[in-house]
């Protein structure tokens, strides 16, 4: 599984980590916040071709703005537990980049990043078996909407022990 992620800058990651810490009065964090938005998760069999397609797409891009507007619970399904997320607006180049990747590779993307299913977000808390709604309300009460620039896109391979960044593309200002 290979993820294409829009990497948040340090200030945006720190801002979301501060909101995330509200939950730590009840829980110990399992991992530090990896500030990103997943654009696509490729599960096909030609990663090299997929990466080359994406890099060609990104070659014409400049850094772009993303507007974080809310903190919310994304309900899970039979395969996954609910999570608390910070949700950016699904608009502008963020949406356009996803649309272009999905137009070419929709059948090779996982169920969460295919056309019609993709919901951009940054995960703040995953804690199976816990009612996340009260925690989300606390987080949302301290959240102030903000804008950030996406200046880097990374390709990361999902491993059992985490992830491995295999390539990255810097987006010029």
């Amino acid at each position: 599984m290979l993820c294409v992620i829009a990497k948040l800058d340090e200030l945006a990651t720190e801002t979301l980590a501060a909101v995330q810490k509200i939950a730590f009065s009840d829980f110990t964090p399992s991992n530090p916040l990896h500030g990103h938005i997943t654009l696509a998760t490729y599960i096909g069999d030609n990663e090299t071709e997929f990466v080359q397609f994406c890099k060609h797409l990104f070659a014409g891009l400049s850094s772009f703005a993303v507007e974080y507007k809310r903190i919310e619970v994304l309900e899970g399904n039979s395969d996954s537990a609910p999570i608390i997320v910070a949700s950016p607006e699904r608009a502008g180049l963020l949406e356009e980049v996803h649309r272009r990747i999905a137009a070419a590779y929709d059948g090779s993307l996982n169920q969460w990043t295919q056309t019609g299913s993709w919901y951009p977000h940054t995960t703040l808390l995953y804690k199976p078996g816990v009612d996340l709604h009260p925690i989300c309300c606390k987080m949302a009460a301290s959240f102030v909407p903000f804008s950030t620039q996406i200046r880097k896109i990374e390709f990361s391979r999902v491993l059992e022990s985490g992830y491995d960044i295999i390539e990255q593309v810097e987006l010029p200002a």
Side-chain angles (χ1 to χ4, degrees):
M1 185 167 22
L2 185 68
C3 297
V4 181
I5 63 172
K7 187 77 171 99
L8 302 182
D9 65 23
E10 190 174 325
L11 180 59
T13 299
E14 289 172 3
T15 299
L16 292 177
V19 172
Q20 182 190 48
K21 285 180 184 168
I22 291 167
F24 298 160
S25 62
D26 299 323
F27 305 108
T28 303
S30 53
N31 296 310
L33 180 68
H34 183 64
H36 74 280
I37 301 164
T38 301
L39 298 168
T41 301
Y42 181 76
I43 56 174
D45 15 343
N46 195 338
E47 285 184 0
T48 302
E49 178 185 287
F50 177 72
V51 169
Q52 290 308 313
F53 169 85
C54 290
K55 287 172 76 174
H56 179 72
L57 171 65
F58 304 147
L61 290 182
S62 295
S63 63
F64 57 92
V66 173
E67 299 279 334
Y68 277 90
K69 298 288 188 173
R70 65 196 158 282
I71 305 296
E72 61 188 325
V73 174
L74 291 186
E75 298 297 340
N77 60 23
S78 61
D79 297 331
S80 64
I83 57 176
I84 297 177
V85 301
S87 299
E89 290 297 301
R90 184 178 169 167
L93 280 176
L94 181 69
E95 183 172 34
E96 179 66 16
V97 168
H98 174 265
R99 187 191 62 72
R100 287 183 183 180
I101 293 170
Y105 285 94
D106 209 42
S108 296
L109 301 180
N110 73 353
Q111 67 176 347
W112 303 109
T113 60
Q114 290 178 334
T115 301
S117 300
W118 179 68
Y119 190 78
H121 65 275
T122 300
T123 301
L124 300 178
L125 183 63
Y126 170 75
K127 200 72 174 172
V130 172
D131 181 5
L132 297 179
H133 293 280
I135 299 166
C136 182
C137 287
K138 286 188 222 174
M139 287 182 175
S142 73
F143 177 73
V144 176
F146 68 94
S147 178
T148 188
Q149 287 291 120
I150 301 298
R151 293 186 173 90
K152 184 188 307 182
I153 298 181
E154 295 178 343
F155 297 89
S156 64
R157 183 166 285 109
V158 178
L159 308 170
E160 285 185 29
S161 61
Y163 61 90
D164 180 30
I165 297 167
I166 61 166
E167 290 201 49
Q168 57 187 2
V169 175
E170 300 284 339
L171 302 177

